[in-house]
Amino acid sequence: MKSRLSPEGGPVTDIAMKQAPLGAETAQRASALASFKLGDRTFYWLTRSAAMGVLLLLGGIIVTLFSGAWPAMQAYGLEFLWTSRWAPQLEPQPILGALGPIYGTLLTAFIAMAIATPVGIGVAIFLTELCPVTLRRPIGMAIELLAGIPSIIYGMWGFFVLAPFLTNHFQPAMISLFEGVPVLGTIFAGPPSYLSLFNASLVLAIMVLPFITAIARDVFATVPPMLKESAYGLGCTTWEVMKNVVIPYTRVGLIGGVMLGLGRALGETMAVTFVIGNSFRINGSVFAPGTTISAAIASEFAESDGVHQSALILLGLLLFVLTFFVLAAARLMLRRLERRAGG
Amino acid sequence: MNALYASRRRRDFSIRVLCYAATALGLIWLALILFSLFSNGVAGLSWDVFTKMTPPPGTTDGGLANAIFGSVAMTSLGVAIGAPLGMLAGVYLAEYGRYEKLSDVVRFINDILLSAPSIIIGLFVYMAVVKPTGGFSGYAGALALAVIVVPVVVRTTEDMLLLVPNTLREAASALGLPRSLVIKRIALRAARAGVITGVLLATARVAGETAPLLFTSLSNQFWSVNMGKAMANLPVTINAFVQSPYETWRQLAWTGALLITLAVLTLNIVARVLGAERTQK
C-alpha cells in the first residue's frame, strides 16, 4: 500500500494556532512546530545522502581502481589480456600478462561450481522435501553456519587437512586412472601436488555450497504448495514433483542462486591463496599449481610498486568487472522470481 | 505397466539417496572443519595467548594479545562507522523512497556490493586512503571493514522496516507526529530486534575478513593502541603464520583460527536466536 505521507512531512498546518489569540502559548507552539519541521528536513536529507552514499561507494571503487590501473593500461594495452608471461622483476620493463590468473580464476570457479551446484541443490531438495520437520531447522542452521565461517579458516583447513589428503590419496588414483587417455590424460596429468588448481577448487566448492543451498531452499519455498500437492495427488514421486513442478517453476531463481555462488567463487581470496601455489604458468593439468586473480593480488600486492602494482590493480579491476556482471545477472534473475512470488 | 512403475520408483529412490548423501557430505564437511579446528586449536590455548605479543621473526615464543586487540578495535570501529550509515540508507529505502526509481538503483547496487569480492574493497581503500595518507593504518583497516558492513546493514534494515505494518505509521501520523519521529520512535522501534540482528550478522561477517586487511592495516608485531599506524589483527597474523616454518607459529595460527571461528559462530547464533524471537511474537 502506498503511503500518502509526502517525503518531507508536508506543510504542517495547525488549526488551533490560527484560531488562538497571539500570546506566549502561540509562540511556543510555533517554535515547536518549526523545530519539528527542521528535524524532519534534516532527517530526510541525512537518510537520503546515506542512500546516495551507497552509489558513491560503487562510483568511488570504479574510479579509484581505474586511476590505479591506468599506468598498466597504458604500458600494456589490450595485450595484457592474452599475455601469459608474468615477469615483474624483468629489466628494464617488466612483462606482465593476465592470462594465467584469468585462466586460474575461471577454471577453479568452474570446477567448484560443477561440484557445489548439484550437491547444494541436493541438500536443498533434502531440506524442503525429504527431511523430517524436527530436523529441518537444525540441519538448515548447520548449513548456514558453514556459510558464516570466515574464508581464511577454509583456506587454512584446506592447506593443513584437505590438500595433503587429496594429494596423497585422490590425485594419484586419478592420475593412474586416466594415464594414456587422450584428453583426460592431460587434464589429470601428474605429478600430484599439494599446491594445485584442483585442491583450490575443492576448497572453493565447500565454501560456496552453503550459499547455493540457502538460496535454492528459499527459492523452493516460493512454490505454491497447491502445485506440489496436485502433482503428488496425481501420483508423482518426489523426484518427479521436483523435476516437473518445482524446478521448472523456480528455474530463474535457481540459476540466479548458482550465479551468485559463481560470483563468490570468482572473487574468493583467502580460501584459495594457501593451496593454489601462486604460479602464473598455464599448465593443462588441474593438478598443477596455478593462481587466481585474487590470490595473485593477495600474495604480491604488499611487496609491489610502480607498474607491477598498477598491473595488480588492473587485475583487480578486471575481476571487479567480471563479478559485477555475474552478480548483476544473478540479482536480476532473483528479482524476477521475487516479483512473481510477490504478485 | 508394472515395469514402468518399478523404474519410476527406482529412479525416485536413487535420487533420494543422492540427496541424503549430499546433505551428509555438507554436514561432514562442517564437522571435519570444526573437529580439526578444535583438536588443533585447543592444544595451544593458554593465558600466554591472551597476554603475550606475537613472536618476532627468529623466536618461537609468544601469544596473540596484540592481534586480538587489533581485531577487536578495527572490527568495532568498522561497525561503528558502517552500521549507522547503513541504517540511514536502509531507512531512506524503506520509508522515504520506497517507490522511487532511484531507490531501485540503490537497492540493486547495494545487492552487488553485498557480494563484491572483499579483496577489491582492500584495493579500493589502499588507493583511496593508504596511498594518500602515506602508510598502512588501523583506521584504513577499519574503513575497509566499514565498506563491507554498509551493504549488509542497508539490506537488513530495509527488510525489517518493510515488515512493520503501515497502519502503525498511519496511527502515529494521525496523532500529529512528524514524519521523522514516526520513523525513529515507531517504525525503527518496532523493527529494533531485526535491525540489531543485521548489525550482529555484519559484525560476524567482518570479524574474520582477511583480504581487505592485507594491505590496509597490514600487521605489527608489537602492542599498539595507535590506530594511525599499522596494526596487528588476527586474520592477517593467521595468514602469515600458516605458512611459517615454526611449529609454534602454526600452533598460534590454529589457536587464532579457533578464537575467530568461535567468535563468529557465537555472533551468528545470537543473531539468529534474536531474529527467531522476533518472528515468534
Side-chain angles (χ1 to χ4, degrees), chain A residues 1 5 7 40 47-48 52 64 126 144 146 148 152-153 156-157 160 235 238-240 274 309 313 316, chain B residues 8 12 16 20 23 30 36 92 96 99 102 120 124 126-127 166 173 179-180 235 239 253-254 261 264 272:
Chain A
M1 237 203 314
L5 293 169
D40 255 12
T47 57
R48 194 178 160 93
M52 296 303 112
T64 47
F126 173 81
E144 276 166 31
L146 202 55
I152 189 167
I153 309 291
M156 187 177 169
W157 180 76
F160 283 126
T238 309
W239 169 238
E240 284 162 352
F274 294 135
Q309 187 172 63
I313 296 175
Chain B
R8 284 176 56 203
D12 186 55
R16 272 171 194 246
Y20 280 102
T23 313
L30 179 68
S36 35
Y92 183 81
Y96 289 119
Y99 303 96
L102 183 79
I120 302 292
F124 164 59
Y126 177 86
M127 290 302 294
N166 254 344
S173 296
R179 191 71 197 273
S180 58
N239 179 47
W254 275 114
T261 310
V264 168
R272 266 163 231 284

Side-chain angles (χ1 to χ4, degrees), chain B residues 175-250:
Chain B
L175 288 174
L177 217 55
R179 191 71 197 273
S180 58
L181 290 188
V182 173
I183 294 167
K184 281 187 272 193
R185 301 257 175 92
I186 309 294
L188 269 179
R189 187 158 297 185
R192 192 171 44 190
V195 173
I196 293 174
T197 304
V199 174
L200 285 178
L201 285 178
T203 314
R205 166 99 195 266
V206 296
E209 276 292 354
T210 316
L213 296 179
L214 284 175
F215 22 83
T216 49
S217 86
L218 207 66
S219 197
N220 186 342
Q221 14 163 322
F222 306 106
W223 177 259
S224 164
V225 289
N226 179 4
M227 293 192 76
K229 288 263 157 41
M231 201 172 192
N233 59 82
L234 272 178
V236 174
T237 307
I238 294 173
N239 179 47
F241 282 10
V242 162
Q243 287 165 309
S244 91
Y246 308 113
E247 195 50 45
T248 46
W249 288 30
R250 293 189 188 188

